[in-house]
Amino acid sequence: MKTYSSSVYVNVEKCNGRMMCMRICPTEAIRVRNGKAELIVEQCIDCGECIKVCPNRAIIPATDSFSDLSHFKHTVAIPSPVLYGQFGRDVTPEMIQGALLKLGFNEVADITGACEAVSLAIREHLENYTLRKPLISSFCPTIVRLIQVKYPDLAELVVPFESPKEIVAREVKAQRSKELGFKEDEIGAIYLTPCPSKMIDIKLHPRKEKSFIDGAISIAEIYSSVVALMAEMRNVTPPEVSMNNVSGIGLEWTMLGGQTASLQMENSLAVDGLKNVIRAFEDIENGRLRDIDYIECHSCPEGCIGGSLTVENPYVSRSNLIGLMKRYGDEPKRSREEIQGLYNKKFFFTERRLPVTPRQRLDENITKAIEKMRKKDAIYRNLPQINCGCCGAPNCGAFAEDVVQGVAQITDCIFIYQERLKATGQEMLRLLNKKPGYIKD
Amino acid sequence: METLFSQQFLVEGGDFRNAGNASTQIKTILKQIGIPGEVIRRVAIAAYEAEMNMVMYAKRGVMTLRIEPMKVEISVEDEGPGIEDIELAMQEGYSTASPEIREMGFGAGMGLPNIKKNSDEFSIASTVGKGTQLSIRIRNRVVQSE
Ligand SMILES: Nc1ncnc2c1ncn2[C@@H]1O[C@H](COP(=O)(O)OP(=O)(O)OP(=O)(O)O)[C@@H](O)[C@H]1O
Ligand code: SF4
Ligand SMILES: [Mg+2]
């Protein structure tokens, strides 16, 4: 498998510097230099906004492809429940799982049961929790990155739970290696992902030693194969699947409000869209929302069904999934006692606490940082402050910071450039008109 | 004491749409400078409560952030109705907020007490009919002694 430090990269051939990605990036992690977009990896939170907005499809999600899987002896597809909502109301998870087996996976592991268990465990956790509130859901890796990079003080509020996909991968690998005699690393657990963010979470796994998932394939990439295979299978009885106990409650997990709905708690919020999440985080930092117990955050509008690697319109997906939820019912698969037992055994907890990596500091040295802040302020005051972007930075503030940090030159601003040119021109004119001393008037 | 950095922020009374912007900018500056998280947390709460009071009760005001070697200071000066009985206003739960403001989730009468709780030094002065001034200081050692 490849190694990445960021979930996206720029295809320089395709990029023609239209700056749409630079303007939309919520963490100002993109610059345009020499007419091409460049990514500042440390600042990227993998939200996928740039992928969605690029007219040339020049921003590429760094997911794996199906051909990367050949070296495993046993492959397990772990589809995000988002996949179940991509194909229409009459298409059931079993049919999709059947198509995935046909596609070449040895096994499909459903995660809706784990989603249900995790949401019930959150309820358990909230009942035992007495410290600072609100707790923040930790299942959108972009939101977790946002906290690590920009809101380090909120890190202690992130629910210390493993994601359902990791729990399923962990359990499947343990079981199959026992039953089938494979070593754990001969089993490839492949997540079918709605976004590049989940992929990078698998690669960087900030809260554990190693992810149990070995790779991620984009839902958009396998979409057409799944459609074709399901059409082929229409007349055949669907092949058997290993874990077809889909949970109706778990199907809701990836949609906005899905976690809080299954929590059945009044004091919770569900927030979608990075802008809104940022607003909520500012509120928490300002001491508001203290009477809220839990806040479910999704970077994408409508939740993961709005992820950048999905195909179906999120509103249609929602309607499809709601149809499926009715079919599977809302009876929990596990009893409360069972969940309590697992909770007490630390079944759901991550290995480590969330580390923070604040990226906002102007300098490691505080005195130097203050000096830079002063300089930045002075530069900013002299800029036109119209955020035109011609300098290659998303706004005048970011440009002033780039200049202070030495990664841009003040004359990259065309207005400053023009002023300097004018001043030089006037000086030249003055010199040209100046009569040397030996010429008499 | 020497001022290492300072910046002013204007706050408009009644402008709920932009309420909180000044505090957000103050927080961003402190994060960029590298002020410790627990100090930022206290400054954020105090600045936000002071900003909201100006939005809710005053005509307009100015918030000034000042960073000194041993402390972060927020001073607030507004033009507005002023506070008649400061001792009463400082009591937890005392509020003159309108029902509309209470609808918006404010008006618990906790703002000023919270500002005081989060600052190491706090002073408040007010002239009825003219305006209110706050001075909020939070200890923070920026310059290490060599
Ligand atoms: N800047 C100000 N100008 C005029 N009156 C003020 C100002 N700040 C506070 N007050 C008065 O003091 C009272 C108490 O203020 P405090 O901030 O403690 O509570 P609150 O604003 O009413 O409610 P909360 O802050 O909990 O939302 C206010 O209701 C108001 O009457
Ligand atoms: S909301 Fe879901 S799809 Fe969107 S970035 Fe977060 S995890 Fe990915
Ligand atoms: Mg108040």
Side-chain angles (χ1 to χ4, degrees):
Chain A
M1 248 33 24
K2 303 164 216 155
T3 50
Y4 313 105
S5 52
S6 169
S7 64
V8 295
Y9 62 92
V10 181
N11 180 332
V12 250
E13 253 113 70
K14 285 189 175 171
C15 173
N16 56 17
R18 294 207 207 175
M19 300 187 167
M20 291 170 88
C21 54
M22 177 183 91
R23 292 207 160 91
I24 205 156
C25 177
T27 57
E28 302 179 346
I30 297 177
R31 297 292 181 273
V32 176
R33 300 222 163 90
N34 300 319
K36 304 286 176 191
E38 278 178 19
L39 185 69
I40 307 167
V41 174
E42 305 79 52
Q43 249 158 269
C44 172
I45 57 168
D46 313 301
C47 66
E49 291 292 323
C50 49
I51 301 181
K52 290 185 209 167
V53 83
C54 178
N56 296 337
R57 306 208 153 270
I59 306 215
I60 316 286
T63 47
D64 297 305
S65 74
F66 202 68
S67 55
D68 295 338
L69 312 178
S70 50
H71 63 282
F72 292 110
K73 294 211 168 124
H74 185 81
T75 52
V76 186
I78 304 182
S80 156
V82 168
L83 184 70
Y84 300 153
Q86 297 286 299
F87 305 100
R89 285 192 148 215
D90 301 325
V91 176
T92 63
E94 280 78 8
M95 291 160 75
I96 297 165
Q97 292 167 347
L100 292 173
L101 293 176
K102 272 226 148 170
L103 195 61
F105 288 102
N106 300 111
E107 179 177 349
V108 180
D110 173 76
I111 71 167
T112 55
C115 294
E116 176 195 303
V118 172
S119 32
L120 297 176
I122 292 172
R123 194 160 72 189
E124 219 46 64
H125 186 61
L126 280 169
E127 276 179 21
N128 293 304
Y129 182 85
T130 52
L131 304 173
R132 186 178 170 204
K133 280 185 179 172
L135 285 177
I136 301 172
S137 75
S138 64
F139 308 103
C140 173
T142 289
I143 301 300
V144 175
R145 282 275 293 156
L146 178 71
I147 291 174
Q148 288 182 287
V149 173
K150 282 186 91 168
Y151 297 94
D153 191 45
L154 306 187
E156 64 182 24
L157 299 177
V158 174
V159 172
F161 281 7
E162 206 47 274
S163 65
K165 64 180 185 310
E166 286 290 340
I167 292 178
V168 166
R170 181 180 79 196
E171 300 302 306
V172 163
K173 281 189 169 180
Q175 271 178 31
R176 293 300 171 269
S177 63
K178 223 189 282 166
E179 293 165 11
L180 306 174
F182 295 125
K183 287 192 217 125
E184 288 208 2
D185 58 6
E186 292 171 334
I187 304 174
I190 310 301
Y191 184 61
L192 307 182
T193 184
C195 65
S197 174
K198 302 264 198 201
M199 196 274 316
I200 201 70
D201 183 49
I202 294 166
K203 306 285 174 189
L204 298 181
H205 47 79
R207 286 184 286 174
K208 54 185 162 301
E209 202 49 47
K210 182 181 173 301
S211 173
F212 289 94
I213 299 181
D214 302 280
I217 297 179
S218 125
I219 286 180
E221 188 185 314
I222 53 151
Y223 181 84
S224 52
S225 317
V226 173
V227 171
L229 288 167
M230 283 194 303
E232 260 178 46
M233 294 187 324
R234 193 146 288 158
N235 302 318
V236 203
T237 33
E240 245 179 74
V241 286
S242 65
M243 287 190 176
N244 57 359
N245 54 340
V246 171
S247 149
I249 299 175
L251 279 171
E252 202 174 0
W253 176 268
T254 58
M255 296 190 276
L256 175 66
Q259 293 166 31
T260 43
S262 42
L263 288 175
Q264 295 168 332
M265 294 196 68
E266 281 178 17
N267 271 340
S268 56
L269 296 182
V271 187
D272 66 340
L274 260 183
K275 270 215 180 99
N276 297 325
V277 172
I278 285 172
R279 204 171 144 186
F281 286 177
E282 293 290 340
D283 277 345
I284 299 175
E285 279 191 331
N286 293 339
R288 295 192 72 195
L289 306 183
R290 266 181 290 208
D291 52 343
I292 301 289
D293 293 320
Y294 182 72
I295 155 167
E296 168 192 332
C297 303
H298 302 269
S299 158
C300 297
E302 290 296 312
C304 298
I305 49 176
S308 56
L309 304 180
T310 59
V311 176
E312 188 53 279
N313 161 337
Y315 303 95
V316 176
S317 295
R318 169 180 281 274
S319 146
N320 291 343
L321 286 168
I322 289 174
L324 287 175
M325 281 162 59
K326 288 209 183 103
R327 200 183 286 238
Y328 288 93
D330 55 6
E331 226 4 77
K333 300 251 176 238
R334 286 196 173 87
S335 70
R336 171 135 197 220
E337 290 67 43
E338 232 176 309
I339 297 290
Q340 278 170 335
L342 290 170
Y343 175 82
N344 292 335
K345 276 198 295 192
K346 301 262 174 227
F347 183 83
F348 299 104
F349 286 80
T350 54
E351 284 169 21
R352 305 200 268 258
R353 302 178 66 182
L354 182 66
V356 294
T357 46
R359 292 291 175 203
Q360 283 179 299
R361 282 193 184 193
L362 294 175
D363 202 288
E364 282 304 310
N365 176 307
I366 200 162
T367 323
K368 282 190 189 144
I370 292 175
E371 189 49 44
K372 285 184 178 173
M373 182 59 90
R374 272 213 295 254
K375 275 194 194 147
K376 177 185 154 185
D377 208 42
I379 294 171
Y380 179 74
R381 276 172 217 275
N382 275 324
L383 294 172
Q385 299 175 14
I386 56 169
N387 306 322
C388 70
C390 297
C391 56
N395 54 60
C396 300
F399 176 66
E401 193 170 322
D402 284 355
V403 173
V404 168
Q405 297 293 23
V407 293
Q409 286 182 339
I410 187 74
T411 47
D412 291 343
C413 168
I414 52 163
F415 296 92
I416 303 275
Y417 180 73
Q418 212 181 18
E419 259 174 38
R420 298 258 168 115
L421 214 58
K422 203 165 130 197
T424 317
Q426 273 164 355
E427 174 66 5
M428 264 165 68
L429 215 62
R430 191 184 66 79
L431 289 175
L432 279 173
N433 288 331
K434 188 174 174 222
K435 290 189 189 120
Y438 64 88
I439 296 178
K440 285 189 195 133
D441 272 331
Chain B
M1 271 279 214
E2 169 199 15
T3 301
L4 300 172
F5 181 84
S6 82
Q7 194 161 321
Q8 288 198 330
F9 305 88
L10 302 182
V11 178
E12 276 299 314
D15 184 2
F16 283 91
R17 234 180 79 83
N18 291 308
N21 281 1
S23 317
T24 297
Q25 288 180 54
I26 289 175
K27 261 186 309 195
T28 306
I29 291 173
L30 298 181
K31 285 181 188 176
Q32 288 195 314
I33 286 177
I35 302 288
E38 64 276 19
V39 176
I40 298 181
R41 199 194 294 182
R42 293 167 67 201
V43 175
I45 293 173
Y48 180 75
E49 293 293 354
E51 183 178 359
M52 286 318 297
N53 279 355
M54 285 196 278
V55 173
M56 290 192 284
Y57 308 112
K59 230 189 281 164
R60 68 181 70 83
V62 184
M63 241 195 330
T64 309
L65 163 72
R66 205 170 292 118
I67 299 169
E68 295 183 7
M70 300 303 281
K71 62 175 180 275
V72 176
E73 184 188 56
I74 304 281
S75 48
V76 180
E77 202 168 337
D78 72 41
E79 289 168 42
I83 302 173
E84 210 159 312
D85 187 341
I86 291 182
E87 209 173 308
L88 191 60
M90 288 303 300
Q91 279 176 19
E92 287 191 9
Y94 175 79
S95 174
T96 61
S98 65
E100 292 76 29
I101 287 180
R102 284 170 204 263
E103 276 294 281
M104 296 168 74
F106 300 100
M110 292 303 291
L112 289 172
N114 256 335
I115 298 176
K116 187 168 181 199
K117 210 186 298 166
N118 282 288
S119 44
D120 292 309
E121 286 170 53
F122 170 74
S123 66
I124 174 168
S126 189
T127 316
V128 174
K130 286 192 84 176
T132 304
Q133 299 102 42
L134 308 182
S135 162
I136 300 158
R137 298 201 182 94
I138 294 169
R139 269 197 295 276
N140 169 58
R141 181 190 288 264
V142 168
V143 185
Q144 313 291 293
S145 42
E146 316 272 303

